[in-house]
Amino acid sequence: MKIIIVGCGNVGAALAEQLSSEGHDITVIDTREKLVESVSVSCDALGIVGNGASFQVQSEAGVQEADLIVAVTGSDELNLLCCLIARKSGGCNTIARVSNPVYSEEIAYIKEELGLSMIINPQLAAAREMARTLKFPFAQKVDTFAKSRVELVVYRIEENSPLSGMMLKEMPGKLRCDVLIPIVERGEQVIIPDGNFRMQEKDNITIVGTQIKTIEFFKKLGKPTASARDAMIIGGGRTSIYLAKQLLQMGLKVKIIERDSGRCEFLNEMLPKAMIICADATEKDVLLEEGLAETETFVANTNFDEENIMLTLFAKSLSKAKLITRVHRVSYDDIIDKLDLGSIIYPKYITAVNIIKYVRAMKNSLGSKVETMYRLNDNRVEALEFLISEQSPIVGIPLAELNLKKNMIIGCITHKGKTTIAKGQSVIRVGDTVILITTQTGLHDIQDAVK
């Protein structure tokens, strides 16, 4: 597919890299020459320096032949104008980044009136992922499938855990649980294990199961399954506003610490039920006075990665709070992972995944489509939810008889609203949704998983 990306910031660069790796023909547009050059070289893309809302610039980029234009500059209004011009001049599909909370109540109207294919909001998506992690406070990451009926939880095996030294095939008998562990990350390795795999301390394991079964599993490990009662958020940006609204709806007490007085006044207007503290959170005394030692959730959510990392490490040294750290750059992700910063949120990856899911749906023609997609373990694993929309060779055959490709596993099947862990005798039917987990990224259809 021919795809034009307007904006070469964090989101645009990540999107260009991932779409290029999937074999798409990418053109990037930005007014900043150095960024255009950097992205075009690293992604083997055509780079154009100019205003993406200009008809002349879009024509130079080939908008008339393009399948999709994605506008992800820092300006909502510019993004919408880019898409409007592209629709009028080229008739291609359009995706706009719109992140201002002022527009959040009008997204459906804007999308319909401008004829947009999709609107993405990186800050809202990041806030939703942060809120999800509070469902299991001890987890590093929590995702949901099958309309929230299935949980995907990433958990690090702790010292003296009952799981340490246990083989996967022993787990159902010893713990009497009905969950699946399809991914284990051990050091630099990412493994899709079989029943003889033996778990160890410090393994990062991914647990897949229905919400009830997942809660039961962690209770048997002696882990708390109730969400936190309060949250301290550092930084008063857009992501913090979206997150605070969700946490307030969940019944949490929310405290936001922001150093800019003008921003604090705006936060008071947007979040009347939250406590807004105008202070510099990088000063230790401020955090201590505001109750860091007693807080149950600590979110480092400033615009500076170094500041977020430093704040999280300080909070970790003084409290037992659930830690959430927002990181924009991923150049040092291997080092960051070793610091044990709790749940690490990469907004640009979340946004890129949502767009890639849409692009794959555009290419689909084999009888199933991607409903949900998550990338795990530093983008080395994909968890995909497919809707089986018509008859295909995999329908009606027990899973044990399906010849799946290497490093692929079917986790759950939802049939007529009932979700079960996939077993050898399980059968896929038309209308089911199926969760597939694989280290072979780039699948468009569940048939791609069969040899």
Side-chain angles (χ1 to χ4, degrees):
M1 292 175 59
K2 180 173 175 56
I3 301 173
I4 299 172
I5 300 172
V6 182
C8 290
N10 284 333
V11 174
L15 187 58
E17 178 185 353
Q18 295 187 49
L19 287 174
S20 177
S21 70
E22 295 199 5
H24 298 287
D25 180 8
I26 306 299
T27 300
V28 295
I29 303 174
D30 201 296
T31 55
R32 296 163 291 186
E33 185 174 357
K34 287 186 178 179
L35 285 181
V36 171
E37 182 178 352
S38 173
V39 174
S40 60
V41 170
S42 63
C43 301
D44 191 24
L46 174 64
I48 296 176
V49 179
N51 184 343
S54 161
F55 171 73
Q56 182 177 346
V57 171
Q58 287 194 15
S59 297
E60 185 181 348
V63 71
Q64 284 83 2
E65 297 81 36
D67 299 292
L68 174 68
I69 187 168
V70 185
V72 287
T73 75
S75 167
D76 292 351
E77 292 77 14
L78 179 60
N79 293 336
L80 292 171
L81 183 57
C82 287
C83 290
L84 182 60
I85 291 173
R87 286 285 296 166
K88 296 293 184 182
S89 59
C92 61
N93 289 283
T94 54
I95 297 177
R97 170 182 175 173
V98 179
S99 55
N100 193 329
V102 173
Y103 297 136
S104 61
E105 302 298 325
E106 303 168 353
I107 291 299
Y109 175 81
I110 294 171
K111 179 181 175 183
E112 182 179 351
E113 289 300 310
L114 297 186
L116 302 178
S117 306
M118 181 181 180
I119 288 179
I120 55 170
N121 186 331
Q123 287 85 354
L124 178 57
R128 285 175 174 165
E129 180 151 335
M130 291 177 183
R132 273 202 304 269
T133 64
L134 297 183
K135 294 171 70 174
F136 298 97
F138 48 84
Q140 294 178 302
K141 183 179 178 65
V142 179
D143 292 316
T144 61
F145 292 93
K147 299 178 180 178
S148 298
R149 288 189 289 262
V150 176
E151 306 284 354
L152 187 152
V153 182
V154 179
Y155 169 67
R156 176 169 291 177
I157 298 178
E158 300 166 329
E159 188 177 354
N160 299 321
S161 168
L163 297 176
S164 182
M166 186 185 296
M167 295 174 68
L168 287 181
K169 65 182 180 183
E170 300 172 338
M171 196 173 68
K174 290 185 176 181
L175 296 180
R176 298 194 180 280
C177 58
D178 189 20
V179 298
L180 180 71
I181 297 181
I183 310 167
V184 178
E185 184 175 6
R186 178 176 293 171
E188 298 297 319
Q189 287 183 294
V190 175
I191 306 160
I192 292 187
D194 59 18
N196 295 317
F197 184 88
R198 195 177 295 276
M199 295 175 281
Q200 298 178 2
E201 290 178 10
K202 298 184 180 180
D203 282 351
N204 285 328
I205 62 173
T206 299
I207 299 100
V208 175
T210 63
Q211 189 174 62
I212 293 174
K213 297 297 183 181
T214 305
I215 290 172
E216 288 177 0
F217 172 75
F218 282 112
K219 281 183 177 178
K220 288 175 181 177
L221 294 183
K223 307 305 298 182
T225 55
S227 62
R229 292 171 294 182
D230 60 66
M232 178 183 290
I233 303 173
I234 311 303
R238 292 176 178 177
T239 306
S240 294
I241 293 174
Y242 289 122
L243 177 60
K245 286 182 177 180
Q246 292 180 66
L247 298 185
L248 289 167
Q249 289 176 354
M250 293 165 59
L252 275 71
K253 295 179 180 179
V254 176
K255 180 182 293 185
I256 300 177
I257 303 179
E258 165 60 45
R259 63 166 64 95
D260 184 83
S261 58
R263 187 67 183 176
C264 287
E265 292 180 10
F266 178 73
L267 291 171
N268 273 317
E269 294 177 8
M270 295 292 292
L271 303 164
K273 294 183 179 179
M275 180 181 293
I276 311 300
I277 306 297
C278 189
D280 186 352
T282 60
E283 296 181 7
K284 294 181 180 180
D285 291 343
V286 170
L287 293 176
L288 294 173
E289 288 172 7
E290 295 303 328
L292 173 62
E294 294 78 35
T295 193
E296 295 189 2
T297 306
F298 181 85
V299 184
N301 199 31
T302 75
N303 290 324
F304 303 100
D305 291 352
E306 296 83 0
E307 195 169 288
N308 289 338
I309 292 168
M310 178 191 68
L311 289 167
T312 298
L313 290 174
F314 181 61
K316 180 183 175 183
S317 70
L318 291 180
S319 77
K320 295 182 179 180
K322 163 67 177 177
L323 304 174
I324 301 175
T325 311
R326 187 176 72 164
V327 176
H328 297 89
R329 292 170 292 174
V330 293
S331 306
Y332 303 101
D333 55 346
D334 53 340
I335 298 173
I336 290 171
D337 289 341
K338 293 176 183 177
L339 294 176
D340 193 14
L341 301 173
S343 296
I344 302 174
I345 307 297
Y346 295 103
K348 68 179 185 180
Y349 277 159
I350 299 169
T351 303
V353 164
N354 287 334
I355 295 173
I356 289 168
K357 182 179 74 172
Y358 178 84
V359 171
R360 289 191 191 173
M362 286 176 64
K363 291 185 67 175
N364 174 264
S365 62
L366 297 176
S368 69
K369 63 178 181 178
V370 178
E371 291 281 287
T372 312
M373 182 177 77
Y374 294 108
R375 284 191 165 171
L376 313 167
N377 305 85
D378 299 326
N379 287 334
R380 290 180 287 176
V381 176
E382 285 187 352
L384 305 108
E385 180 180 7
F386 290 100
L387 172 63
I388 312 302
S389 56
E390 63 184 52
Q391 197 71 28
S392 73
I394 65 166
V395 171
I397 302 173
L399 296 187
E401 298 178 21
L402 284 179
N403 193 12
L404 292 179
K405 293 177 181 177
K406 187 179 178 181
N407 292 328
M408 296 192 183
I409 186 170
I410 292 177
C412 293
I413 299 173
T414 300
H415 178 68
K416 294 184 177 179
K418 183 179 179 181
T419 302
T420 56
I421 294 293
K423 295 181 171 61
Q425 68 273 24
S426 300
V427 174
I428 299 171
R429 301 176 178 87
V430 174
D432 289 355
T433 56
V434 177
I435 297 171
L436 177 75
I437 297 164
T438 175
T439 56
Q440 295 187 26
T441 59
L443 271 66
H444 295 86
D445 190 278
I446 196 167
Q447 276 187 224
D448 296 338
V450 181
K451 290 181 181 177

